[in-house]
Amino acid sequence: MPSHKRAFRALACAASALALAMTAGVSSASAAPSDTKTGKTVTSGWNNWSCKPSAAHPQPVVLMHGTFGNSWDNWLVLAPYLVKRGYCVYSLDYGHKAGVPLFNGLGPIVKSAQQLSAFVDKVRKSTGAEKVDLVGHSQGGGPLPRYYLNFLDGAAKVGKLVGIAPDNHGTTVSGISRLVDAVPGARKVFSLTLPGVEDQLVGSEFLKKLNSKPDTVPGVTYTVISTKYDEIATPYKSQQLSGPNVRNVVVQDLCKWDISEHAAIGTIDTIAFHEVANALDPAHATPTTCKSAVS
């Protein structure tokens, strides 16, 4: 077989493997549940633009989905969980590509961060809040908000950042990134077709810029919630941040029976979500244990 055909086949295999890895465990991309009378998306109390923050929870919460996710499927459990606890909760779609419905987080993270910036301003204007708290999964909990905080003056508008399985320092995707780098031109192809994915791979130009600055910015409190069984944002310890006002949490240290991997920890793991609630309201934090899965 000619060398260019072998390279193309290897690249196709790498692309397929990476896409499968990044979408593993993602919720089904069926239409969001809707109200048959109004046709509006049903989000169980979140994205309520008439919500006004309470004295107990004065900062609204902005949720940011992960790569290949969207503003509702990532948050079908966590958003109602926080609304029930009295928060004004909002979620956005970012990084969408023309012709690709439902699967977002694919565009360049720099542009996605600009979308986040505009959305935060919209939430602040609607609620009257000076600051918001950010909670995100994967890309939405790490490189995206950190770029916003570091390069788009977001720090003045944010009180807390809670990252669930965030690939803060890039990911090897369980070694798949090495396969991409082994194929000449593969990085370029990913950069053109799935820039939001390539931005997150170890060694990307985006990550070099992002991590040229300290992990944290003054005035923001950071929480990183990870699982040892993460197969996407790998190695899982690379998710952790260094600096003042940082708490790095591994869910297995709280409940050794928690077997959540990358998708589950951000979509259905109420042990992780209990830690999210603790991070948002540390003054009323309660111990997170295996019992938190049903509390």
Side-chain angles (χ1 to χ4, degrees), residues 206-223:
F206 170 81
L207 285 170
K208 290 176 184 177
K209 178 179 179 180
L210 176 65
N211 291 313
S212 67
K213 291 197 171 187
D215 283 355
T216 63
V217 296
V220 178
T221 300
Y222 295 78
T223 303

Side-chain angles (χ1 to χ4, degrees), residues 27-275:
S27 301
S28 172
S30 57
S34 62
D35 186 319
T36 56
K37 293 182 180 180
T38 65
K40 295 181 178 179
T41 300
V42 176
T43 51
S44 301
W46 87 90
N47 284 333
N48 173 9
W49 294 97
S50 64
C51 186
K52 297 301 179 184
S54 66
H57 302 302
Q59 294 180 177
V61 177
V62 173
L63 303 175
M64 297 155 293
H65 61 75
T67 309
F68 292 102
N70 60 55
S71 61
W72 60 269
D73 72 352
N74 219 137
W75 309 121
L76 291 172
V77 177
L78 179 58
Y81 182 96
L82 295 176
V83 169
K84 184 178 179 181
R85 283 158 176 75
Y87 290 92
C88 290
V89 180
Y90 303 88
S91 61
L92 75 153
D93 286 312
Y94 68 85
H96 45 275
K97 292 197 70 178
V100 182
L102 299 176
F103 296 110
N104 299 319
L106 306 180
I109 295 179
V110 170
K111 291 186 177 180
S112 294
Q114 294 167 358
Q115 292 177 301
L116 172 60
S117 178
F119 191 81
V120 167
D121 288 344
K122 180 181 178 181
V123 170
R124 291 172 62 238
K125 182 177 180 180
S126 175
T127 60
E130 181 180 353
K131 293 185 176 184
V132 304
D133 290 332
L134 302 178
V135 178
H137 178 214
S138 195
Q139 176 186 165
L144 170 62
R146 286 183 56 226
Y147 189 91
Y148 167 60
L149 294 174
N150 277 286
F151 295 96
L152 299 180
D153 299 321
K157 304 173 185 178
V158 174
K160 305 177 187 71
L161 169 58
V162 184
I164 306 171
D167 49 334
N168 277 308
H169 300 104
T171 176
T172 67
V173 199
S174 294
I176 291 177
S177 66
R178 291 195 292 272
L179 178 58
V180 173
D181 288 332
V183 179
R187 281 264 184 180
K188 178 87 170 169
V189 171
F190 273 113
S191 181
L192 292 173
T193 58
L194 295 172
V197 174
E198 194 277 330
D199 280 348
Q200 297 173 77
L201 298 182
V202 167
S204 73
E205 292 303 314
F206 170 81
L207 285 170
K208 290 176 184 177
K209 178 179 179 180
L210 176 65
N211 291 313
S212 67
K213 291 197 171 187
D215 283 355
T216 63
V217 296
V220 178
T221 300
Y222 295 78
T223 303
V224 175
I225 303 172
S226 305
T227 171
K228 292 180 179 178
Y229 303 121
D230 201 312
E231 77 288 21
I232 303 298
T234 57
Y236 80 89
K237 288 187 177 181
S238 69
Q239 300 173 17
Q240 298 176 351
L241 296 175
S242 299
N245 298 321
V246 172
R247 182 167 182 255
N248 294 305
V249 181
V250 178
V251 290
Q252 284 77 29
D253 292 340
L254 307 173
C255 173
K256 66 180 181 179
W257 306 114
D258 191 325
I259 59 172
S260 290
E261 38 63 69
H262 186 79
I265 193 176
T267 56
I268 61 173
D269 188 347
T270 49
I271 292 172
F273 297 164
H274 189 268
E275 275 302 290

